[in-house]
């Protein structure tokens, strides 16, 4: 049986997480986690004696997707006791999670995978990368005169960062729209904050960082204009007597390195989060495709885990209006009511990668991951908004 946990069962969930993910919490940390966890967000598989066998967390987020915030189901804490593994429990839990999101009107899901191939088999796909820079202080940019100043803040000043972050986050696909609790507990706890304010006292950039031994680690480097960039780098450079290196986490499209005096810095790109379209019809209806005059595109989607997605979709533009139609798979027949003689055939993973703008239709077509005529591939590529997928957070 799969059901929500009761509050008095949350300790069992925490013990399972500690065992499965190999970490230990202090009594104080356990108490804090118990008080901060909503049992309505935790689902478990139980035996007849009501013993917890496996569980997952379904976290209700808002995430930016093509320029606006939408509901997103964050899947986390999927764990099974070892004696219960390879019995199909996780498959049932993930199917349950998809059903729960679909019934709640959530068409988008994201997770941080312990195994990419494992979650691909359930329809999730890689959608977000990040880059890290490691910069020696000899490579720091020269000081630039700015009219504003940097002010250090504590976690209680999260509202100072919020408007800067949200302008930044709206540029990307997958970034979270953060709440006060999330800012304080998940972003700023045990971190230093430095905010650059211009001459009008407007915050236009910030860093979230820590210093350990001879290294500054910047978890978030966010700036809205050149002045914010220069002001924050002046602040970093003022630590040259304390540190030898700085490591910075940035979006994959960041070009900061180019603008350093010595751009030959150490850079790495890392795969990070996976995403999934939970309800294709609702996602396509809400997606801001770019207008094309009197064009119709067909998508033939396979999704064996979320069967409500299987079928063909038409995307039409008539007199400036978008129209989405769905032709589901026939009952008892593997083919759609609309035969895929036109359009693009693809799995839910490839559709997810395309809508996140993680991969282009042309790239997937060249590697045989989607099929269709060249003109349909070009049409799909031409109506997609160009926004980079990225997320700073972890859950």
């Amino acid at each position: 049986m799969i059901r929500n946990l009761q509050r008095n069962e949350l300790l069992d969930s925490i013990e399972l997480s500690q065992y499965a993910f190999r970490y230990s919490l202090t009594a104080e940390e356990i108490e804090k986690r118990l008080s901060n966890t909503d049992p309505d967000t935790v689902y478990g598989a139980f035996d007849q004696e009501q013993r917890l066998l496996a569980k997952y967390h379904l976290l209700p987020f808002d995430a930016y997707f093509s320029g606006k915030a939408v509901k997103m189901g964050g899947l986390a804490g999927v764990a099974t006791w070892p004696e219960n593994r390879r019995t199909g429990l996780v498959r049932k839990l993930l199917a349950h999670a998809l059903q729960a999101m679909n019934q709640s009107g959530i068409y988008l899901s994201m997770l941080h995978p312990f195994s990419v191939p494992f979650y691909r088999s359930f329809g999730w796909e890689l959608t977000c990368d990040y880059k890290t820079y490691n910069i020696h202080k000899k490579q720091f940019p020269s000081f630039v005169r700015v009219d504003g100043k940097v002010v250090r803040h504590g976690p209680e000043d999260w509202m100072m960062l919020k408007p800067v972050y949200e302008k930044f986050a709206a540029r990307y696909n997958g970034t979270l729209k953060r709440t006060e609790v999330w800012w304080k507990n998940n972003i700023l706890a045990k971190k230093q904050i430095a905010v650059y304010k211009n001459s009008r006292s407007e915050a236009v950039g910030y860093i979230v960082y820590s210093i350990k031994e001879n290294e500054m680690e910047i978890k978030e480097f966010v700036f809205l204009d050149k002045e914010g960039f220069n002001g924050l780098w002046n602040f970093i450079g003022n630590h040259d007597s304390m540190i030898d290196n700085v490591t910075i986490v940035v979006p994959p499209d960041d070009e900061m390195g180019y603008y350093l005096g010595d751009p030959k810095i150490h850079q790495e790109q890392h795969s990070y989060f996976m995403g999934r379209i939970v309800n294709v019809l609702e996602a396509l209806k809400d997606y801001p495709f770019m207008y094309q005059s009197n064009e119709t595109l067909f998508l033939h989607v396979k999704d064996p885990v979320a069967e409500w997605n299987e079928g063909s979709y038409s995307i039409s533009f008539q007199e400036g209006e978008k129209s989405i139609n769905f032709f589901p798979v026939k009952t008892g027949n593997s083919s759609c009511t609309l035969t895929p003689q036109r359009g693009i055939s693809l799995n839910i993973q490839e559709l997810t990668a395309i809508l996140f703008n993680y991969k282009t239709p042309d790239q997937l077509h060249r590697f045989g991951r989607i099929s269709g005529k060249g003109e349909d591939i070009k049409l799909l590529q031409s109506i997609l908004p160009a926004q980079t997928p990225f997320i700073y957070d972890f859950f």
Side-chain angles (χ1 to χ4, degrees), residues 53-292:
L53 307 178
K55 56 92 179 184
Y56 73 89
H57 296 232
L58 186 57
L59 305 172
F61 290 113
D62 285 342
Y64 287 97
F65 195 57
S66 293
K68 65 179 180 179
V70 303
K71 291 182 178 180
M72 186 271 285
L75 196 64
V78 181
T80 311
W81 289 110
E83 60 269 27
N84 302 319
R85 290 174 186 163
R86 296 179 176 84
T87 61
L89 280 177
V90 170
R91 176 174 292 276
K92 292 176 182 177
L93 286 174
L94 294 180
H96 182 274
L98 288 170
Q99 288 279 4
M101 286 186 277
N102 190 44
Q103 292 170 5
S104 299
I106 298 171
Y107 67 70
L108 184 68
S109 176
M110 295 177 67
L111 60 81
H112 182 261
F114 77 93
S115 166
V116 171
F118 176 82
Y119 281 106
R120 273 180 168 167
S121 67
F122 295 99
W124 276 266
E125 184 52 87
L126 279 172
T127 51
C128 295
D129 294 346
Y130 68 91
K131 285 200 301 189
T132 57
Y133 299 140
N134 190 298
I135 306 173
H136 191 272
K137 63 182 178 182
K138 292 180 180 178
Q139 298 170 296
F140 288 0
S142 301
F143 283 83
V144 177
R145 179 178 174 80
V146 292
D147 295 327
K149 62 180 181 179
V150 169
V151 181
R152 288 182 295 107
H153 290 272
E156 67 278 1
D157 296 320
W158 66 277
M159 280 295 293
M160 187 72 66
L161 281 59
K162 181 181 177 183
V164 182
Y165 168 79
E166 289 190 350
K167 288 179 183 178
F168 161 84
R171 303 172 185 169
Y172 294 93
N173 287 331
T175 44
L176 296 189
K177 188 175 179 65
R178 296 167 175 169
T179 64
E180 177 180 357
V181 172
W182 192 261
W183 271 110
K184 290 181 176 179
N185 291 345
N186 297 80
I187 307 301
L188 304 181
K190 300 180 181 179
K191 295 291 190 299
Q192 302 283 335
I193 307 164
V195 181
Y196 178 79
K197 298 180 182 179
N198 61 23
S199 59
R200 298 181 298 278
S201 296
E202 299 168 334
V204 293
Y206 72 84
I207 58 173
V208 177
Y209 68 99
S210 60
I211 299 176
K212 186 177 181 181
E213 297 178 349
N214 296 320
E215 184 163 310
M216 175 184 283
E217 183 178 15
I218 299 178
K219 288 294 187 181
E220 295 189 17
F221 192 124
V222 175
F223 58 94
L224 302 181
D225 56 28
K226 180 182 177 182
E227 182 181 352
F229 173 84
N230 289 332
L232 290 171
W233 264 112
N234 287 350
F235 176 76
I236 296 167
N238 283 333
H239 291 78
D240 57 354
S241 64
M242 302 168 55
I243 63 173
D244 295 324
N245 295 281
V246 60
T247 61
I248 309 175
V249 179
V250 295
D253 63 349
D254 184 86
E255 298 178 346
M256 185 187 306
Y258 176 81
Y259 297 100
L260 302 179
D262 179 3
K264 196 174 182 180
I265 59 176
H266 183 75
Q267 305 184 41
E268 292 183 353
Q269 184 152 328
H270 310 262
S271 299
Y272 192 34
F273 259 69
M274 301 182 79
R276 193 196 204 283
I277 301 301
V278 176
N279 187 298
V280 172
L281 181 60
E282 296 305 315
L284 295 180
K285 285 181 178 179
D286 201 39
Y287 198 75
F289 291 105
M290 298 170 65
Y291 172 69
Q292 295 285 321

Side-chain angles (χ1 to χ4, degrees), residues 319-337:
E319 299 180 355
E321 294 292 327
K322 178 182 71 175
S323 176
I324 307 293
N325 291 297
F326 177 42
F327 306 89
V329 172
K330 287 182 179 179
T331 303
N333 194 317
S334 62
S335 62
C336 299
T337 58

